[in-house]
Amino acid sequence: MSFLDIAKNRYTTKKYDPSGKIAEETIAQLEEILRLSPSSINSQPWKFTFISDDKTKNELSKVSFHNEQKVKDTSHVIVFSVIENVKDFEKWNLSRLPERSEVYYNRMVKPKGEAKIKSWLSCQVYISLGFFLSTCASMDIDSTPMEGIDTEAYDRILQQEGYKTLFAVAIGYRDKDDVNQPSITPKFRLEKENVIRNI
Ligand SMILES: Cc1cc2nc3c(=O)[nH]c(=O)nc-3n(C[C@H](O)[C@H](O)[C@H](O)COP(=O)(O)O)c2cc1C
């Protein structure tokens, strides 16, 4: 399938088939693909937590607002987290990178102050989300990106240390009657002339 067809067919799944489990070897591939996500200066300020344990998924579902049923029914939930502390980032991530990366960070990012540094770090994790959603679609795995979750409660349940939940992604296989699939609900996007500019 061409990437254009993948983009047309992927969609945010709203209802999962609870019996649809993703094979362990497929999960191992997804783990490796996430690890290979690109980021500015190769900063990699992330942690990806894969959850298939039913008890943990049930606990998470209770703090997932309108996403409750998806979290319960899906095969796996992946929690995307960002490193919490700028000092830890500088100590653990930056120190492993080539000198030119450190120079870029010290010149272009660090002078902007803590809030902007943290926002820049979070942006890197969002890049991995785009990478991941496309990957899943190319492997015929259905997915739901979810910002609509109680991220602090996720941190507590997962006993996160040094990292903070930004969002999660449910992955699995759709219920055959899921009304959000493009064959039932056509995709809505802004017109090309509103979002593409050619000079
Ligand atoms: C960062 C992000 C967070 C989202 N959070 C949720 C969510 O909490 N629950 C949900 O059902 N959909 C969520 N969505 C799905 C969007 O609503 C969806 O991507 C958008 O409407 C486009 O539809 P499509 O993905 O089916 O093409 C989220 C999407 C993104 C990219």
Side-chain angles (χ1 to χ4, degrees), residues 126-196:
Y126 274 85
I127 294 169
S128 72
L129 170 64
F131 201 58
F132 188 66
L133 295 179
S134 303
T135 298
C136 289
S138 76
M139 294 168 74
D140 288 325
I141 295 167
D142 292 313
S143 64
T144 312
M146 299 179 294
E147 277 182 324
I149 57 172
D150 181 340
T151 54
E152 286 174 13
Y154 267 54
D155 287 340
R156 276 196 301 278
I157 291 166
L158 301 175
Q159 299 178 359
Q160 295 246 65
E161 272 177 33
Y163 288 81
K164 284 190 84 62
T165 300
L166 285 177
F167 54 85
V169 179
I171 58 171
Y173 298 104
R174 72 188 73 172
D175 180 290
K176 66 178 179 24
D177 298 323
D178 180 14
V179 291
N180 206 39
Q181 52 197 312
S183 56
I184 302 176
T185 307
K187 242 179 212 305
F188 162 73
R189 290 295 191 269
L190 297 173
E191 297 300 330
K192 189 177 169 185
E193 56 270 26
N194 298 127
V195 293
I196 306 290

Side-chain angles (χ1 to χ4, degrees), residues 16 22 27 30 74-76 78 132 136 141-143 169-172:
Y16 284 91
I22 299 174
I27 292 296
L30 291 174
T74 199
S75 170
H76 288 69
I78 297 96
F132 188 66
C136 289
I141 295 167
D142 292 313
S143 64
V169 179
I171 58 171

Side-chain angles (χ1 to χ4, degrees), residues 74-142:
T74 199
S75 170
H76 288 69
V77 174
I78 297 96
V79 175
F80 288 63
S81 308
V82 65
I83 196 162
E84 189 172 11
N85 196 298
V86 172
K87 287 269 168 290
D88 287 345
F89 168 73
E90 291 173 355
K91 187 166 166 201
W92 296 110
N93 298 53
L94 203 59
S95 65
R96 289 178 163 85
L97 299 177
E99 199 192 331
R100 64 177 184 281
S101 301
E102 219 166 324
V103 168
Y104 175 90
Y105 174 81
N106 286 327
R107 273 202 198 135
M108 309 291 282
V109 185
K110 199 168 175 160
K112 293 181 177 165
E114 171 130 350
K116 288 242 166 89
I117 298 170
K118 286 190 167 175
S119 161
W120 177 80
L121 292 171
S122 295
C123 286
Q124 310 313 318
V125 186
Y126 274 85
I127 294 169
S128 72
L129 170 64
F131 201 58
F132 188 66
L133 295 179
S134 303
T135 298
C136 289
S138 76
M139 294 168 74
D140 288 325
I141 295 167
D142 292 313

Side-chain angles (χ1 to χ4, degrees), residues 20-32:
K21 299 289 174 213
I22 299 174
E24 275 314 308
E25 59 267 30
T26 307
I27 292 296
Q29 278 186 41
L30 291 174
E31 290 171 359
E32 186 59 5

Side-chain angles (χ1 to χ4, degrees), residues 24-76:
E24 275 314 308
E25 59 267 30
T26 307
I27 292 296
Q29 278 186 41
L30 291 174
E31 290 171 359
E32 186 59 5
I33 290 166
L34 267 179
R35 195 178 70 85
L36 291 167
S37 296
S39 56
S40 178
I41 62 163
N42 211 7
S43 49
Q44 308 170 64
W46 45 48
K47 179 89 77 191
F48 308 111
T49 306
F50 281 67
I51 299 140
S52 57
D53 171 56
D54 281 335
K55 186 171 162 286
T56 311
K57 278 203 290 133
N58 274 334
E59 267 186 84
L60 293 175
S61 74
K62 291 180 192 138
V63 291
S64 298
F65 309 123
H66 61 293
N67 293 306
E68 177 171 358
Q69 200 61 40
K70 296 164 207 150
V71 171
K72 226 182 249 175
D73 290 344
T74 199
S75 170
H76 288 69

